[in-house]
């Protein structure tokens, strides 16, 4: 045993890092040094995820050359050594080692030695008491109990009796709960019988039954808990109010409303009398399930049983109405609260302010924010964060900055959420350099207390694009035992998800769960975002369903992420179905969700449906922003309904919103599409009068409009004005002019402009190539071959449009059979036909059927088209083969009992 102690001391010197302020301060300096680096090296494609490997290796961290210090203390060391299921974290393992070393140092090592030879309840209890800390003691119990035979389980029950008799009932309940989870319902009944039969030697009837009931509740075995409660009634015992409250919470969570009311009636007749806490639990449970009327009824029922609604009761209902988007009702409850002499808390105001901001009603939110201080309730960090988030979403970055300065002036400490809101706002809607400066001020300015610094440091590294360093820092903190909150994990999960590295996001998520952190709404939203961004919508829906079943917090943000994913993939039906399901889940859409719905419907061509959603949004009291108006204006302009588009622009101004450059460009484009160039010019002039300066898009839109109207003079005039305004032509400008020249058969001028854009350092794109290719196919053969050679020399890249263009020219050249042959070849390599492709092939097929005799003479032009068609076919075939080799189908599976998930590549799962 002395040798063991010596090895422990060696390990502790090497691997243990005490959490002294100096140690944490040193790590802070190291992080700050890394944040000051001027070079941003964004490389999100992390080659190896150190936290995962380190986490698992750290389970054998307290070892020297394969010798596991903990294994020697387990009476089931052989089983423990072969166990593939990790029951304790590296942090718990380290704490156990520290605790056991203290036991040995206090000359109590003989107890450990005796316990390691035989699993004895009395020795286990002595060790647990010597360890002192409940968390460490329970971790030790989980580690050593690797056998669940009848003898071992009964020994654990006796240990629980000893602990309960020694005023350690909470630990006894945790041990029983752990056993119940491992052995299941059938064997749990045997445990109950054994403990009841032997309990009189150690503890009272109430003590043993209450411990069993709470253990079943912790294990979420509701039916067994109800059986224990019935047994208590049979023995004339009254269950405790706190245990009954937990039982109500579980019954409501699983939706067993019949048992809830039966249990309430049982309490009214036999006790214990309902308390405020019990009613609050019931109101909360029904409200979360969307049964607000039932929650209100319970609220009014409270006084009948001598319970007066308190601030928690009101806050539950206020929050429920805010979640469903009924903020006006929530405000009514606030007024009712004050009328009944119950003072609103900071949580009350924060909830309503957050709801108003999510609705886009920042003005009313600010009034409430200022008004709460007048009644003596001062904003907290949460309140400031909600208000700043509202300003950022409204793109009022200046106001958010002012509020942040006010926050510092009033001595309210910012947190990692503050950092994420402000930095994200600057990166999205402000200037990146301001985001960098703010990030520096927040992380170096000493504004954060030490316990928040790890969260802020990790978030800061993620924002600066240094994801590898953020992961390494997280790994280091976990190894040293420095507390890391869910915010730090969320920062890395969100960063991975944004980069499309959803598998690594799940790895970090699983580490988070294994370290005992409960996923937040932000966690769920980030994981869904990662799956949605890569088009894995089915996996995203599966994940959402599983998280809802496990009572993880799914909020409107997560639903909006998935909704946006459906629209981006073109699955309008899936998006509509999800929108309807949100109502059933009791999740009310906010301004952001409505914005995603309206934009998605408009882009899919359902402009009228988007307009209906717009009016529904207004009826709910939500405030549309520029993005919503711009989406609808774009939809109406694209459909040619310029009157409605202009009406919406006027409505914007009446609502206090100023049309931006995107709005005006959209309207100008709408007029140009309809050939109404005078009105387009009028909008251009009005834009300049209102203080908006035209950008490259404005000029390109007008030049394109004049080119399509064959007004070369005005097109050249606007090219001149564009140069005078300081804008250089981009590839879009050149493509417009090229198309104009090609349309008017001025091929020589088009070729000169092609040379001009290359000389100017502008890179041609597929539009350029296809425009010139179409001209080559229409032109005389000699000049067409020269132009085609020029395009091939410029690394011409064909696409779907190219294929359709060549098929169309084959058909126009009187070669329907060649058209069908190439169509079949494209089909064989998985080429996705669109509406244009089908129309061309249908025409060719009908022609052959109706004209059995037609000329099939091979000409030089047909050979030229065949050559171009072959190049296009070959490129698409090779691209398709590469895509197939790199495409993977994934399946979401549950990995472990604690809510862990992983993505499994179906291609790697071979059938047995």
């Amino acid at each position: 045993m002395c040798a063991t102690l010596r090895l422990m001391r060696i390990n502790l010197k090497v691997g243990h890092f005490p959490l002294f302020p100096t140690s944490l301060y040193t790590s802070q300096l190291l992080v700050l040094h890394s944040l000051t680096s001027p070079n941003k090296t964004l490389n999100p494609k992390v080659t190896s995820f150190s936290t995962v490997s380190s986490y698992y290796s750290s389970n054998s961290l307290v070892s020297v050359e394969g010798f596991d210090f903990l294994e020697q203390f387990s009476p089931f060391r052989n089983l423990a050594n072969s166990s593939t299921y990790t029951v304790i974290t590296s942090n718990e393992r380290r704490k156990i080692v520290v605790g056991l070393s203290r036991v040995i140092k206090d000359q109590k090592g003989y107890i450990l030695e005796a316990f390691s030879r035989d699993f004895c309840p009395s020795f286990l209890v002595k060790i647990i008491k010597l360890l002192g800390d409940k968390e460490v003691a329970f971790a030790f119990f989980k580690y050593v109990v690797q056998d669940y035979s009848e003898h071992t389980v009964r020994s654990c029950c006796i240990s629980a009796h000893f602990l309960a008799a020694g005023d350690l009932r909470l630990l006894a309940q945790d041990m029983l709960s752990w056993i119940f989870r491992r052995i299941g319902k059938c064997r749990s009944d045997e445990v109950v019988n054994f403990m009841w039969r032997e309990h009189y030697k150690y503890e009272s009837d109430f003590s043993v039954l209450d411990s069993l009931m709470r253990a079943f509740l912790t294990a979420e075995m509701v039916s067994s808990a109800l059986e224990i409660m019935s047994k208590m009634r049979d023995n004339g015992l009254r269950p405790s109010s706190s245990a009954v409250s937990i039982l109500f919470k579980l019954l409501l969570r699983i939706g067993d409303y019949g048992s809830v009311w039966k249990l309430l009636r049982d309490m009214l007749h036999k006790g214990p009398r309902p308390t405020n806490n019990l009613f609050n639990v019931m109101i909360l449970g029904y409200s979360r399930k969307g049964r607000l009327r039932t929650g209100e009824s319970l609220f009014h029922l409270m006084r009948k049983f001598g319970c007066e609604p308190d601030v928690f009761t009101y806050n539950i209902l206020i929050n429920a109405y805010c979640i469903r988007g009924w903020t006006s009702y929530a405000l009514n409850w606030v007024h009712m609260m004050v009328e009944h002499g119950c003072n609103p808390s900071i949580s009350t105001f924060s909830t309503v302010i957050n709801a108003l901001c999510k609705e886009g009603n920042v003005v009313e939110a600010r009034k409430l924010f200022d008004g709460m201080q007048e009644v003596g309730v001062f904003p907290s960090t949460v309140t400031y964060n909600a208000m700043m988030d509202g300003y950022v979403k409204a793109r009022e970055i200046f106001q958010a900055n002012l509020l942040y300065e006010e926050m510092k002036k009033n001595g309210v400490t910012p947190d990692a959420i503050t950092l994420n809101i402000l930095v994200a706002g600057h990166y999205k809607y402000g200037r990146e350099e301001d985001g960098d400066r703010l990030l520096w001020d927040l992380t170096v300015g000493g504004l954060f207390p030490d316990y928040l610094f790890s969260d802020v440091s990790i978030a800061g590294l993620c924002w600066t694009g240094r994801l590898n360093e953020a992961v390494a820092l997280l790994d280091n903190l976990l190894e040293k035992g420095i507390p890391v909150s869910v915010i730090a994990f969320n920062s890395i999960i969100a960063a991975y998800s944004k980069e499309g590295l959803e598998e690594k996001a799940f790895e970090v998520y699983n580490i988070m769960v294994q370290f005992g952190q409960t996923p937040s709404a932000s966690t769920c939203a980030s994981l869904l975002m990662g799956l949605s961004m890569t088009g894995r919508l089915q996996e995203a829906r599966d994940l959402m369903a599983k998280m809802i079943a496990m009572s993880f917090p799914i909020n409107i943000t997560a639903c909006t992420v998935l909704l946006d994913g459906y629209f981006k993939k073109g699955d309008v039906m899936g998006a509509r179905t999800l929108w309807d399901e949100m109502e059933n889940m009791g999740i009310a859409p906010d301004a952001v969700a409505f914005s995603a719905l309206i934009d998605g419907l408009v882009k899919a061509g359902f402009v009228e449906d988007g307009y209906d959603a717009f009016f529904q949004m207004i009826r709910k009291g939500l405030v549309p922003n520029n993005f919503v108006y711009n989406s609808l204006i774009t939809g109406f302009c694209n459909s040619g309904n310029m009157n409605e588009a202009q009406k919406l622009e006027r409505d914007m101004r009446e609502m206090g919103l100023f049309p931006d450059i995107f709005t005006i460009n959209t309207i100008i484009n709408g007029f140009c599409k309809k050939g109404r160039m005078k009105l387009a010019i009028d909008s251009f002039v009005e834009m300049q009068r209102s203080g908006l300066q035209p950008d490259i898009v404005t000029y390109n839109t007008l030049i394109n409009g004049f080119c399509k109207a064959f007004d070369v003079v005005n097109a050249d005039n606007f090219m001149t004005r564009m140069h005078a305004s300081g804008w250089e032509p981009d590839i879009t400008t050149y493509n417009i002019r090229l198309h104009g020249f090609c349309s008017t058969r001025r091929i020589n001028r088009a070729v000169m402009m092609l040379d001009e854009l290359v000389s100017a350092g502008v890179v041609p794109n597929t539009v350029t190539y296809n425009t010139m290719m179409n001209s080559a196919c229409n032109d005389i053969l000699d000049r067409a071959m020269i132009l085609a050679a020029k395009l091939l020399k410029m690394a011409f890249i064909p696409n779907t449009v190219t294929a359709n263009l060549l098929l169309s020219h084959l058909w126009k050249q009187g070669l329907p059979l060649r058209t069908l042959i190439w169509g079949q070849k494209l089909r064989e390599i998985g080429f996705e036909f669109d509406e244009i492709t089908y129309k061309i092939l249908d025409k060719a097929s009908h022609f052959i059927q109706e004209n059995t005799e037609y000329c099939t003479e091979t000409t030089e032009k047909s050979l030229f088209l065949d050559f171009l068609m072959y190049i296009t076919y070959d490129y698409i075939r090779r691209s398709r083969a590469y895509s197939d080799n790199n495409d993977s189908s994934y399946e979401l599976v549950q990995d472990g009992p604690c809510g862990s998930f992983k993505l499994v590549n179906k291609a790697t799962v071979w059938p047995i």
Side-chain angles (χ1 to χ4, degrees):
M1 191 58 71
C2 292
T4 301
L5 176 59
R6 189 164 55 253
L7 287 171
M8 279 188 172
R9 284 173 178 168
I10 292 171
N11 173 73
L12 291 173
K13 285 180 181 179
V14 174
H16 184 59
F17 300 85
L19 304 181
F20 296 128
T22 54
S23 171
L24 184 55
Y25 178 70
T26 304
S27 67
Q28 290 177 7
L29 291 179
L30 291 172
V31 175
L32 292 177
H33 175 71
S34 68
L35 284 174
T36 60
S37 174
N39 299 319
K40 290 186 181 180
T41 55
L42 175 58
N43 182 19
K45 306 290 182 183
V46 184
T47 55
S48 62
F49 182 58
S50 59
T51 303
V52 177
S53 59
S54 174
Y55 170 75
Y56 286 108
S57 66
S58 66
N59 279 323
S60 57
L61 178 67
V62 283
S63 61
V64 176
E65 294 182 355
F67 179 75
D68 189 336
F69 292 100
L70 288 190
E71 185 182 330
Q72 64 186 310
F73 301 115
S74 172
F76 310 109
R77 58 181 63 88
N78 293 330
L79 289 172
N81 192 42
S82 62
S83 175
T84 57
Y85 184 72
T86 306
V87 295
I88 59 172
T89 66
S90 59
N91 197 28
E92 288 175 324
R93 180 183 289 272
R94 189 181 303 282
K95 289 181 178 179
I96 294 171
V97 171
V98 174
L100 294 180
S101 66
R102 193 180 299 113
V103 172
I104 295 172
K105 184 178 179 181
D106 292 341
Q107 306 298 317
K108 304 290 184 181
Y110 65 90
I111 301 175
L112 297 172
E113 188 175 1
F115 178 72
S116 68
R117 291 197 298 267
D118 183 35
F119 188 90
C120 174
S122 60
F123 284 142
L124 176 61
V125 172
K126 286 179 181 178
I127 294 169
I128 284 173
K129 289 183 177 179
L130 287 170
L131 288 172
D133 185 88
K134 176 178 174 289
E135 180 185 343
V136 178
F138 183 49
F140 177 76
F141 171 79
K142 288 189 294 182
Y143 176 78
V144 298
V145 181
Q146 296 291 330
D147 171 59
Y148 297 101
S149 63
E150 183 178 353
H151 172 73
T152 304
V153 170
R154 290 194 173 192
S155 297
C156 290
C157 292
I158 294 171
S159 300
H161 279 313
F162 277 130
L163 291 170
D167 294 328
L168 293 173
R169 279 186 60 201
L170 293 178
L171 183 55
Q173 291 162 19
D174 287 342
M175 288 169 54
L176 289 171
S177 176
W178 180 262
I179 294 293
F180 291 153
R181 284 195 182 102
R182 294 297 178 274
I183 64 177
K185 174 71 169 69
C186 295
R187 292 187 62 195
S188 296
D189 295 338
E190 298 174 10
V191 170
V192 171
N193 293 332
F194 175 77
M195 291 200 69
W196 178 251
R197 188 167 60 247
E198 299 288 331
H199 80 277
Y200 63 91
K201 300 177 184 177
Y202 313 97
E203 53 183 323
S204 66
D205 292 358
F206 175 82
S207 176
V208 66
L209 291 177
D210 186 61
S211 293
L212 286 168
M213 181 178 174
R214 291 176 183 273
F216 279 124
L217 290 171
T218 304
E220 298 190 1
M221 300 169 69
V222 182
S223 59
S224 297
L226 285 169
E227 290 172 9
I228 297 296
M229 186 171 178
S230 178
K231 192 176 184 72
M232 293 180 80
R233 296 290 193 198
D234 294 340
N235 285 274
L237 301 172
R238 178 180 292 179
S240 67
S241 296
S242 57
V244 174
S245 295
I246 299 170
L247 181 55
F248 269 108
K249 189 182 298 183
L250 286 174
L251 288 170
L252 287 163
R253 200 179 78 188
I254 63 177
D256 189 355
Y257 304 117
S259 296
V260 169
W261 292 110
K262 181 181 177 183
L263 187 58
L264 181 60
R265 286 193 298 269
D266 187 57
M267 286 182 65
L268 295 175
H269 286 95
K270 302 175 183 177
R273 249 187 109 72
T275 62
N276 263 42
N277 180 61
L278 178 65
F279 274 109
N280 288 343
V281 165
M282 291 181 68
I283 293 170
L284 178 63
Y286 277 109
S287 298
R288 280 180 173 170
K289 292 291 184 179
R291 296 171 172 247
L292 272 175
R293 297 301 177 200
T294 306
E296 286 185 20
S297 300
L298 285 166
F299 171 88
H300 296 300
L301 195 65
M302 288 179 69
R303 292 189 178 92
K304 183 177 179 182
F305 296 99
C307 298
E308 184 65 29
D310 55 18
V311 66
F312 300 105
T313 318
Y314 283 104
N315 284 348
I316 289 168
L317 288 169
I318 289 167
N319 183 60
Y321 278 114
C322 287
I323 288 173
R324 294 184 71 83
W326 299 342
T327 316
S328 57
Y329 288 97
L331 286 168
N332 290 339
W333 277 91
V334 174
H335 294 310
M336 185 192 302
M337 181 181 188
V338 174
E339 288 171 5
H340 285 86
C342 183
N343 294 324
S345 65
I346 182 63
S347 177
T348 315
F349 288 107
S350 297
T351 300
V352 180
I353 288 170
N354 183 54
L356 289 168
C357 287
K358 285 186 179 297
E359 291 176 356
N361 202 343
V362 185
V363 175
E364 288 301 318
R366 185 62 199 232
K367 287 179 182 176
L368 188 60
F369 182 86
D370 295 333
M372 63 184 280
Q373 300 178 62
E374 294 174 5
V375 297
V377 180
F378 297 98
S380 64
T381 305
V382 175
T383 323
Y384 275 108
N385 285 347
M387 196 68 234
M388 280 188 285
D389 190 46
Y391 278 129
V392 167
K393 283 186 170 63
R395 305 191 181 192
E396 297 183 28
I397 307 299
F398 178 72
Q399 292 296 331
N401 286 337
L402 288 179
L403 196 62
Y404 168 64
E405 295 299 327
E406 179 186 321
M407 180 184 188
K408 290 194 297 182
K409 182 180 177 182
N410 292 336
V412 180
T413 305
D415 59 11
I417 296 174
T418 317
L419 179 144
N420 282 328
I421 290 169
L422 290 175
V423 176
H426 280 288
Y427 282 178
K428 287 180 183 178
Y429 308 124
R431 296 186 304 174
E432 188 172 330
E433 54 269 28
D434 290 338
D436 292 339
R437 178 183 49 78
L438 181 64
L439 186 60
W440 170 263
D441 290 343
L442 286 167
T443 51
V444 182
L447 297 174
F448 298 96
D450 288 347
Y451 69 90
L452 285 177
F453 197 85
S454 57
D455 297 337
V456 174
S457 300
I458 289 172
L461 288 169
C462 289
W463 274 114
T464 54
R466 293 151 70 185
L467 193 46
N468 281 337
E469 294 173 56
V471 170
L473 177 58
L474 176 66
D475 185 24
N476 191 25
L477 293 171
L478 294 176
E479 284 298 318
K480 291 179 180 178
I482 297 174
V484 180
S485 78
V486 69
I487 296 173
F489 285 104
N490 283 348
S491 296
I492 297 179
I493 291 170
Y496 273 135
S497 295
K498 287 174 184 175
E499 297 297 336
L501 302 172
E502 64 279 2
E503 291 173 71
K504 293 201 174 291
F506 272 97
E507 288 176 2
V508 182
Y509 163 77
N510 289 332
I511 294 295
M512 181 185 81
V513 172
Q514 289 159 5
F515 271 83
Q517 294 287 356
T518 303
S520 67
S522 178
T523 318
C524 301
S526 294
L527 291 173
L528 288 171
M529 177 181 65
L531 293 170
S532 299
M533 281 181 65
T534 53
R536 296 175 180 174
L537 297 177
Q538 186 55 53
E539 289 97 325
R541 288 300 294 269
D542 292 343
L543 175 64
M544 178 180 279
K546 289 176 180 178
M547 286 185 160
I548 290 172
M550 299 174 76
S551 295
F552 286 174
I554 300 293
N555 63 4
I556 186 59
T557 304
C559 293
T560 305
V561 165
L562 190 52
L563 184 77
D564 192 51
Y566 274 115
F567 278 124
K568 283 181 178 175
K569 200 171 182 180
D571 187 356
V572 179
M573 184 60 70
R576 289 180 187 271
T577 303
L578 177 63
W579 187 265
D580 295 335
E581 288 177 359
M582 283 162 55
E583 180 69 25
N584 298 331
M585 290 188 288
I587 299 175
D590 58 8
V592 178
F594 266 107
S595 298
L597 175 68
I598 293 167
D599 187 59
L601 289 171
V602 168
K603 285 179 178 175
F606 299 95
V607 184
E608 292 300 329
D609 291 348
Y611 209 18
D612 290 341
F614 171 77
F615 287 118
Q616 184 185 351
M617 177 183 185
I618 293 174
R619 284 195 297 272
K620 281 184 170 287
L622 304 178
V623 180
N625 57 14
N626 276 46
F627 180 81
V628 176
Y629 278 104
N630 285 343
S631 296
L632 286 168
I633 289 171
T634 302
F636 282 119
C637 286
N638 289 339
S639 63
N641 191 346
M642 296 305 299
N643 291 334
E644 204 63 53
Q646 288 181 296
K647 178 179 178 297
L648 281 167
E649 184 199 1
R650 290 193 296 272
D651 289 346
M652 281 182 75
R653 298 181 190 278
E654 290 174 6
M655 292 285 292
L657 299 172
F658 294 100
D660 52 24
I661 189 68
F662 182 90
T663 316
I664 306 302
N665 283 345
T666 302
I667 290 174
I668 290 173
N669 185 51
F671 283 128
C672 289
K673 280 184 175 181
K674 292 181 75 70
R676 301 166 72 178
M677 298 308 298
K678 184 180 182 307
L679 291 175
I681 295 297
D682 290 343
S683 297
F684 175 80
V685 172
E686 184 61 34
M687 173 178 67
Q688 292 177 305
R689 283 178 185 167
S690 62
L692 286 174
Q693 293 303 314
D695 60 7
I696 187 69
V697 177
T698 319
Y699 286 110
N700 284 342
T701 303
L702 287 165
I703 292 168
N704 187 44
F706 283 118
C707 285
K708 286 183 176 178
F710 302 105
D711 188 346
V712 181
V713 175
N714 272 318
D716 289 337
N717 286 340
F718 268 93
M719 279 286 288
T720 304
R721 292 180 69 168
M722 183 174 73
H723 281 290
S725 299
W727 294 101
E728 291 297 324
D730 60 4
I731 187 59
T732 304
T733 319
Y734 282 112
N735 284 341
I736 291 167
R737 298 310 307 271
L738 283 171
H739 186 269
F741 290 134
C742 291
S743 299
T744 54
R745 299 278 181 170
R746 289 186 287 174
I747 307 301
N748 290 336
R749 186 70 184 89
V751 172
M752 290 173 60
M753 179 153 283
L754 182 64
D755 294 334
E756 182 185 325
L757 77 90
V758 173
S759 301
V762 180
V763 180
N765 59 16
T766 54
V767 176
T768 318
Y769 293 132
N770 288 333
T771 302
M772 299 304 294
M773 183 65 73
N774 187 48
S775 297
C777 294
N778 282 320
D779 206 12
I780 58 176
L781 184 60
D782 290 344
R783 200 161 57 177
M785 292 178 69
I786 295 170
L787 181 54
K790 184 184 285 288
L791 292 174
L792 292 174
K793 188 178 179 180
M794 293 170 64
F796 162 64
I797 301 174
N799 64 356
T800 303
V801 176
T802 319
N804 285 342
L805 185 152
L806 293 172
L807 288 172
S808 174
H809 278 286
L810 283 168
W811 156 247
K812 289 176 182 177
Q813 287 291 324
L815 301 168
L817 185 59
R818 301 300 298 162
T819 306
L820 293 175
I821 289 171
W822 281 114
Q824 179 60 31
K825 285 181 175 293
L826 289 170
R827 190 193 302 274
E828 288 170 359
I829 62 172
F831 179 78
E832 295 180 3
F833 292 172
D834 59 14
E835 189 177 348
I836 296 173
T837 320
Y838 282 117
K839 282 183 178 179
I840 296 168
L841 295 177
D842 283 345
K843 286 180 180 179
S845 178
H846 284 308
F847 182 85
I848 291 175
Q849 290 173 6
E850 295 171 1
N851 300 273
T852 54
E853 296 181 4
Y854 62 92
C855 179
T856 59
E857 181 184 355
T858 301
T859 63
E860 291 179 341
K861 191 64 176 280
S862 66
L863 289 174
F864 172 67
L865 292 173
D866 260 352
F867 169 70
L868 296 178
M869 193 73 233
Y870 175 77
I871 293 172
T872 302
Y873 163 82
D874 186 60
Y875 178 83
I876 293 172
R877 178 182 59 81
R878 285 185 284 108
S879 300
R880 189 74 58 182
Y882 177 81
S883 176
D884 290 341
N885 289 334
N886 287 274
D887 185 36
S888 297
S889 180
Y890 287 83
E891 180 182 7
L892 185 76
V893 297
Q894 193 163 340
D895 182 31
C898 303
S900 299
F901 300 102
K902 66 179 179 181
L903 285 171
V904 177
N905 189 335
K906 293 180 181 177
T908 62
V909 181
W910 294 86
I912 298 174

